[in-house]
Amino acid sequence: MADELLGPKHVFMNTSVKDEQVLKDEIARLEFQLVAARANLVTLHPSSSHHPTQQPSPPSVLTCRPTPAYHHHLLLLSDSALPLGSFAFSSGLESYLAHHPPPSPRHPPIPSGNQPFLSLALQTLAASSLPYLLAAYKDPGRLLDLDEEYDATVLCNVARRASVSQGRALMMVWERSLRGSGAVDDGGDQHGEQARMGCKEALREMSVQFKKAPPSSTVTTTATATSSTLLSVNGIHVAGHFPPLWAVVTRALGVPIHDSANLFLVNHAKAVLSAAVRASVMGPYQAQAVLGSGWLREEVRRLMSENWHVQVEDAGQVVPVMDLWVGRHELLYSRIFNS
């Protein structure tokens, strides 16, 4: 009764969003036909036309656009099933929990992403490793030198073993799975193919040095190395640390430098949160909420911005207590993660 009293105007105001979209599509189609008809008129009678020639433009429709080739490799490198062994380490979280037990199960140490440990872990990685990643990406020919320099800066033996383990696992993935995959440069690098060939050569040289290494019983180690993680081959010290190798592998696959650094930090956050889930201090849905939060996106963006122009000479540990937590992990009475 009210609709009859209000008349058709009320009915039009209550038109659904779907009907509105149908009307917009119909208007776009008619406008396209009008522009095409005017263009035909100008073609038939060019002297009698008072309107400038207009190029018909198709109505707005969803189009299928080809994605850059490196997106495929970016998805592969972000996959948690990538056999790097990063989820075998807790990045110091297990030791942190042993020294700072949560007050109750309802108050985990990383409930919403704004608690200290995850932030400190990302700060440590960005300040100590990101400069080496960026340097290796920009100059793959320095891979061996940067690997040796990075090893000299890592003072914590547990952190060193974790980095070397993941780096050599990445090297194995490259040689057995990714080396033969092709990548097409999308215009970001004028010498993309030449740069990728340089990356492959640097990785080949690293692989050669690994194969030249003597058996572990005869390995020469430096004073800072433990468990034969730093091999001395003809005066060349080869460790195989993760950050510089990650940079060269991602550039060899055509991944832009910004995406390489961003994924490096995000993968570390995923590893820490995975450790928190397996340590039963937070649930899987809580972990996904942190990964998808705006806080984590902003934190990664901020850390990349702060450390983007830091040289390797200025890289270092900015959270000294992290070395204590990570280093004391191997002294725990019982543990579920590797040291």
Side-chain angles (χ1 to χ4, degrees):
M1 185 66 179
D3 290 346
E4 294 177 358
L5 292 175
L6 292 174
K9 180 178 179 181
H10 175 72
V11 176
F12 178 78
M13 292 176 63
N14 289 331
T15 301
S16 65
V17 176
K18 181 178 180 181
D19 294 337
E20 181 180 357
Q21 184 61 40
V22 172
L23 289 175
K24 289 182 178 180
D25 293 342
E26 181 67 15
I27 292 173
R29 185 182 66 82
L30 293 175
E31 288 179 345
F32 174 73
Q33 292 180 352
L34 178 60
V35 172
R38 285 176 175 172
N40 291 334
L41 180 62
V42 171
T43 303
L44 294 175
H45 305 285
S47 59
S48 61
S49 175
H50 299 286
H51 302 281
T53 303
Q54 300 183 21
Q55 296 293 334
S57 58
S60 58
V61 294
L62 295 177
T63 58
C64 179
R65 298 180 180 179
T67 57
Y70 73 85
H71 277 193
H72 180 71
H73 296 112
L74 201 63
L75 293 174
L76 293 178
L77 294 171
S78 64
D79 188 3
S80 59
L82 192 69
L84 298 182
S86 57
F87 293 99
F89 303 94
S90 68
S91 302
L93 177 63
E94 188 174 22
S95 178
Y96 172 84
L97 293 173
H99 293 84
H100 303 81
S104 71
R106 295 186 178 182
H107 298 282
I110 317 177
S112 61
N114 56 3
Q115 294 299 309
F117 186 82
L118 180 57
S119 178
L120 294 178
L122 290 174
Q123 290 179 39
T124 296
L125 187 72
S128 62
S129 302
L130 195 59
Y132 286 91
L133 185 152
L134 299 174
Y137 190 101
K138 296 174 183 177
D139 189 0
R142 296 181 58 200
L143 176 59
L144 290 175
D145 293 336
L146 289 171
D147 178 71
E148 184 177 358
E149 292 177 17
Y150 183 80
D151 188 85
T153 66
V154 181
L155 304 179
C156 177
N157 293 330
V158 176
R160 176 184 292 107
R161 288 195 294 267
S163 177
V164 170
S165 175
Q166 294 175 70
R168 296 190 178 186
L170 178 61
M171 193 70 182
M172 192 70 68
V173 171
W174 164 258
E175 291 189 331
R176 297 187 176 185
S177 306
L178 300 178
R179 181 170 56 183
S181 62
V184 179
D185 187 76
D186 294 296
D189 189 350
Q190 297 180 355
H191 308 285
E193 184 61 29
Q194 182 179 358
R196 283 191 294 274
M197 291 302 296
C199 292
K200 293 181 179 180
E201 178 61 25
L203 292 171
R204 187 194 66 81
E205 178 63 21
M206 175 72 80
S207 177
V208 168
Q209 296 300 330
F210 282 156
K211 294 175 181 177
K212 286 183 179 179
S216 57
S217 60
T218 60
V219 166
T220 302
T221 60
T222 64
T224 59
T226 61
S227 301
S228 301
T229 59
L230 184 60
L231 306 178
S232 179
V233 184
N234 298 327
I236 300 177
H237 301 291
V238 184
H241 280 284
F242 186 50
L245 275 172
W246 172 271
V248 178
V249 168
T250 52
R251 186 168 188 184
L253 295 174
V255 178
I257 185 172
H258 183 275
D259 292 327
S260 174
N262 183 81
L263 183 58
F264 181 74
L265 294 176
V266 171
N267 278 353
H268 187 70
K270 290 166 59 178
V272 173
L273 291 171
S274 174
V277 172
R278 284 176 289 162
S280 300
V281 295
M282 66 187 310
Y285 295 109
Q286 287 177 304
Q288 290 301 315
V290 176
L291 286 174
S293 65
W295 172 85
L296 182 59
R297 292 195 302 272
E298 179 61 25
E299 185 74 0
V300 170
R301 186 205 64 78
R302 180 184 66 82
L303 292 173
M304 289 178 58
S305 177
E306 291 178 356
N307 296 278
W308 195 258
H309 299 291
V310 176
Q311 302 299 316
V312 294
E313 294 82 3
D314 300 321
Q317 176 63 272
V318 295
V319 187
V321 71
M322 282 295 298
D323 278 346
L324 295 177
W325 291 331
V326 175
R328 289 187 59 83
H329 181 264
E330 60 184 355
L331 302 179
L332 297 180
Y333 178 75
S334 63
R335 54 184 182 270
I336 61 176
F337 296 94
N338 291 344
S339 292

